[in-house]
Amino acid sequence: MLGLGVGSLWLSIIVLLPIAAVAAKSLDGGFGAFWDAVTTPAARSALGLTLVASAIVALVSAVTGTLIAWVLVRDEFPGKRLVNALIDLPFAIPTIVASIVLLTLYGSDSPLGLHLIATRPIIVIALLFVTLPFVVRSVQPVLMEADREAEQAAATLGASNLTIFRRIILPTIGPALLSGIGLAFARAIGEYGSVVLVDGNIPQKTQVTSQYIQGRLESNQDGVVDVGAAANSIVLLLIAVVVLLALRIAASRGSRHHAR
Amino acid sequence: MSDPVTTEPTGGDAAPTEITGDTSLIADAGSHAIVVTGLNKHYGDYHALRDVDITIPNGSLTALLGPSGSGKSTLLRAIAGLEVPDEGTVVIGGEDVTFIPPQRREIGFVFQHYAAFKHMNVRDNVGFGPSIRKQPKSEIRERVDELLEIVGLAGYQERYPSQLSGGQRQRMALARALAVQPKVLLLDEPFGALDAKVREDLRAWLRRLQAETGVTTVLVTHDQEEALDVADHIAVLNAGAIEQWGTPREVYETPANEFVMTFLGPTATLEGKLVRPHDLVLSLEQIEDAVPVTVVRVVHLGFEVRVELEDRDGNQLSAQTTRGEAARLDLDVGQAVFVRTGHPPFPVDAPA
């Protein structure tokens, strides 16, 4: 009981209370003001860009993350442990460092000759970088536990490698994959640090919601959180919660019968 | 207690005692011999198979018997195409399949740990092979129902593997393997993960199913009793090579070497010769070349009585006799008796 009490209290102080404060602030001027704040052309454009970029990132991450997890679990190659450790790098380094790396790589003196600063593709690249570990680290342990003999059984029954992946492996890693996708998406929609130096922050063009919120705060001389900043934050929060919940429900449906 | 998950549509874990259902579904898969020639397989420095030659006759039930690491599973997996041999050929039903992947070998394979598709119910597990072959749904449904009838799982169609006992899962795996009408059925320690009672029921049931369908079957086991019980031919493997091939009676009664002798059952050493404990005859007087020994312990094991003995040099051996014989001799610990063999012994120093 003590554990439950401490846990609830901690969760309340650290998570729920701040969220409640922002939610209250967002409704300072009533629901009309909230709606106006999130439907300004700049806010709508920023949200659209944020969602599309995050969706692309989540889908690309699903494919590449599964592939990387597969290689790390099933293949043997020199330097495997190093590569495995490298996966966590985007978690470990400050996101502003990621932004600087991208600025160096794709800026005006790009060693690659690629000038992507203040374009939409650089946002996707930055988000791909910071969300890399989510799908890999979700899928990897499930793949390690997967019953290889079930795959061999499918092969003896005539299933091609593609069929084995589609009908045996994918359903097995499905719940973990969905959870990885959800985490990557949720992280991507709120990402700020890795895009701040590279996306140019051009309203209605390359400005994502997190930067729009930052812009609202800066325009307020006394640094007070206004309805515009709070309302757009709440929208991001709601989207993240809904996506995570929906994927969790989908995952638990899929894994109903996996327990041995 | 009407929860559909916990009620048992048929007899729970026990295998059905009779073969019900239309076994002609699998009978036409009958006559395909397996011929393996000069098979070699290395894992790094480890020589898993050494020049293995074996012919498994049409319609037989052959056991590959050996201790762990003897290469019996590797041999079975090479026949299935799950392992690629370094050298040698595998021929199934007259067709050289050495370089054909498992998908196109038309085999049925059953794994020790069931290899169930955990996210599919029993119907979809068993129907997996036919669905790959794009058979019409109604046909698959009918076939699955009949196969489940044969393996005694009628009524379990909607269950998931996690809702089945070990014996039931293995029968589902067997139905799944049979659903593709395999040329040969390959079983890798199929009863190894099951309780003793379930294991015995299931192997008796497998024996009947195999006799009825005539599908050429190869079963890997490390349990000599299982091999003697279920197989009509036994290949005894040791260290990657086949030590002996023959009927259960041949390998038991005329073992080719000391390894086969000791692996197939208990042995005792008398005057430097390996004998079966049940071939030792005890007497109170010295008859012919009987050896004088002392009784160390008398153990009553139901019908059998095991008499532990010690000869004059201090060597221990045990003799197996019947309750009646033990009563007639009225043996006491410390008593001096004589022992001889009632069966030609196997010379220990024979070439391996």
Side-chain angles (χ1 to χ4, degrees):
Chain A
M1 282 317 272
L2 181 69
L4 185 68
V6 171
S8 315
L9 186 67
W10 182 249
L11 207 63
S12 304
I13 294 171
I14 293 295
V15 183
L16 296 179
L17 203 62
I19 290 177
V22 178
K25 173 59 90 180
S26 73
L27 291 168
D28 255 5
F31 188 73
F34 180 99
W35 188 251
D36 289 345
V38 298
T39 52
T40 66
R44 275 166 52 190
S45 161
L47 187 62
L49 175 62
T50 302
L51 292 182
V52 170
S54 299
I56 293 172
V57 164
L59 290 179
V60 173
S61 239
V63 176
T64 55
T66 303
L67 193 77
I68 292 169
W70 180 271
V71 168
L72 286 175
V73 173
R74 297 291 174 96
D75 293 338
E76 289 304 324
F77 55 90
K80 179 170 161 173
R81 290 164 65 104
L82 184 71
V83 173
N84 193 24
L86 224 54
I87 301 296
D88 292 325
L89 203 60
F91 270 160
I93 66 171
T95 51
I96 193 74
V97 177
S99 209
I100 286 170
V101 168
L102 293 171
L103 190 60
T104 316
L105 212 51
Y106 301 108
S108 48
D109 56 347
S110 164
L112 304 173
L114 282 168
H115 305 290
L116 298 176
I117 298 307
T119 64
R120 288 174 174 176
I122 194 78
I123 298 172
V124 172
I125 292 171
L127 296 180
L128 278 175
F129 178 81
V130 294
T131 58
L132 170 78
F134 289 104
V135 170
V136 179
R137 291 297 187 232
S138 300
V139 169
Q140 196 177 12
V142 183
L143 216 44
M144 284 169 88
E145 292 291 309
D147 182 3
R148 302 284 287 269
E149 288 190 341
E151 296 164 34
Q152 293 173 353
T156 65
L157 292 166
S160 65
N161 288 341
L162 188 68
T163 305
I164 293 171
F165 183 79
R166 197 169 52 82
R167 293 187 57 183
I168 308 297
I169 298 168
L170 206 52
T172 305
I173 63 172
L177 180 57
L178 283 179
S179 134
I181 291 171
L183 290 171
F185 182 82
R187 170 70 193 267
I189 61 171
E191 179 58 18
Y192 178 76
S194 64
V195 293
V196 67
L197 297 181
V198 291
D199 74 351
N201 197 12
I202 306 166
Q204 301 195 46
K205 234 182 131 189
T206 63
Q207 189 180 56
V208 293
T209 298
S210 61
Q211 275 189 305
Y212 175 78
I213 294 168
Q214 165 72 6
R216 296 287 311 198
L217 292 176
E218 278 173 356
S219 66
N220 260 337
Q221 294 303 328
D222 45 2
V224 177
V225 177
D226 67 353
V227 171
N232 280 286
S233 299
I234 288 298
V235 167
L236 281 190
L237 186 82
L238 284 177
I239 292 170
V241 167
V242 167
V243 166
L244 285 177
L245 266 181
L247 291 178
R248 173 147 297 187
I249 289 166
S252 72
R253 285 219 176 135
S255 66
R256 229 175 347 173
H257 298 287
H258 283 257
R260 294 200 49 155
Chain B
M1 292 288 107
S2 59
D3 181 0
V5 172
T6 50
T7 47
E8 298 290 326
T10 52
D13 204 19
T17 47
E18 297 296 326
I19 308 285
T20 53
D22 182 9
T23 53
S24 69
L25 276 171
I26 32 191
D28 63 327
S31 52
H32 296 280
I34 302 167
V35 182
V36 169
T37 318
L39 219 56
N40 273 288
K41 176 75 184 175
H42 293 82
Y43 297 108
D45 293 337
Y46 181 64
H47 203 163
L49 292 176
R50 299 166 192 263
D51 302 315
V52 170
D53 295 310
I54 186 172
T55 298
I56 290 157
N58 291 353
S60 75
L61 201 173
T62 297
L64 304 179
L65 173 69
S68 61
S70 61
K72 56 193 189 303
S73 281
T74 307
L75 174 56
L76 191 80
R77 292 171 61 84
I79 293 171
L82 294 172
E83 300 286 345
V84 180
D86 302 334
E87 283 173 46
T89 57
V90 176
V91 174
I92 298 175
E95 186 192 354
D96 186 341
V97 295
T98 313
F99 299 106
I100 290 184
Q103 281 89 344
R104 292 193 283 120
R105 288 198 185 192
E106 297 175 69
I107 50 156
F109 201 101
V110 172
F111 295 83
Q112 178 177 359
H113 298 289
Y114 327 121
F117 304 144
K118 297 187 190 74
H119 57 287
M120 296 183 197
N121 63 18
V122 170
R123 178 189 298 289
D124 292 342
N125 263 275
V126 177
F128 185 84
S131 80
I132 297 285
R133 285 159 182 73
K134 304 262 183 276
Q135 290 175 13
K137 282 215 167 68
S138 60
E139 238 170 73
I140 296 176
R141 217 182 155 81
E142 211 169 294
R143 184 163 178 73
V144 167
D145 287 345
E146 294 197 47
L147 279 162
L148 288 178
E149 173 85 11
I150 292 169
V151 300
L153 286 178
Y156 284 74
Q157 277 82 341
E158 309 305 325
R159 297 269 189 112
Y160 281 82
S162 60
Q163 300 167 322
L164 301 179
S165 69
Q168 290 168 340
R169 277 185 224 183
Q170 200 55 302
R171 279 183 280 142
M172 179 191 82
L174 208 54
R176 184 176 68 181
L178 292 170
V180 295
Q181 291 181 292
K183 283 181 177 173
V184 297
L185 186 59
L186 308 173
L187 313 169
D188 193 359
E189 303 249 11
F191 313 131
L194 304 172
D195 296 343
K197 176 75 174 80
V198 179
R199 189 157 63 215
E200 261 177 51
D201 288 351
L202 213 49
R203 80 186 181 212
W205 176 84
L206 175 75
R207 188 79 197 87
R208 286 195 300 275
L209 181 75
Q210 200 275 336
E212 203 158 313
T213 61
V215 60
T216 307
T217 302
V218 186
L219 172 130
V220 160
T221 180
H222 65 269
D223 178 348
Q224 90 284 354
E225 196 191 310
E226 182 167 291
L228 292 169
D229 179 4
V230 83
D232 45 40
H233 289 84
I234 295 176
V236 184
L237 281 94
N238 182 34
I242 293 182
E243 299 279 351
Q244 191 175 3
W245 154 261
T247 64
R249 195 166 167 190
E250 280 165 359
V251 293
Y252 188 83
E253 291 186 0
T254 53
N257 53 42
E258 189 185 338
F259 174 81
V260 177
M261 173 91 184
T262 49
F263 195 72
L264 274 149
T267 56
T269 310
L270 180 66
E271 301 263 275
K273 313 273 194 210
L274 271 182
V275 292
R276 296 277 180 222
H278 55 70
D279 286 335
L280 288 174
V281 179
L282 297 173
S283 56
L284 298 173
E285 306 84 37
Q286 177 146 24
I287 311 167
E288 298 162 24
D289 55 352
V291 178
V293 288
T294 312
V295 176
V296 177
R297 190 162 170 245
V298 181
V299 187
H300 289 264
L301 302 161
F303 174 73
E304 286 171 21
V305 176
R306 190 173 75 228
V307 186
E308 293 174 10
L309 306 163
E310 194 176 291
D311 70 10
R312 276 177 302 195
D313 303 327
N315 300 315
Q316 301 260 347
L317 70 155
S318 32
Q320 189 186 322
T321 184
T322 62
R323 205 172 48 176
E325 183 67 7
R328 190 182 65 77
L329 293 168
D330 190 23
L331 296 169
D332 275 326
V333 171
Q335 189 178 352
V337 292
F338 297 89
V339 63
R340 64 194 166 86
T341 63
H343 188 273
F346 185 83
V348 168
D349 50 5

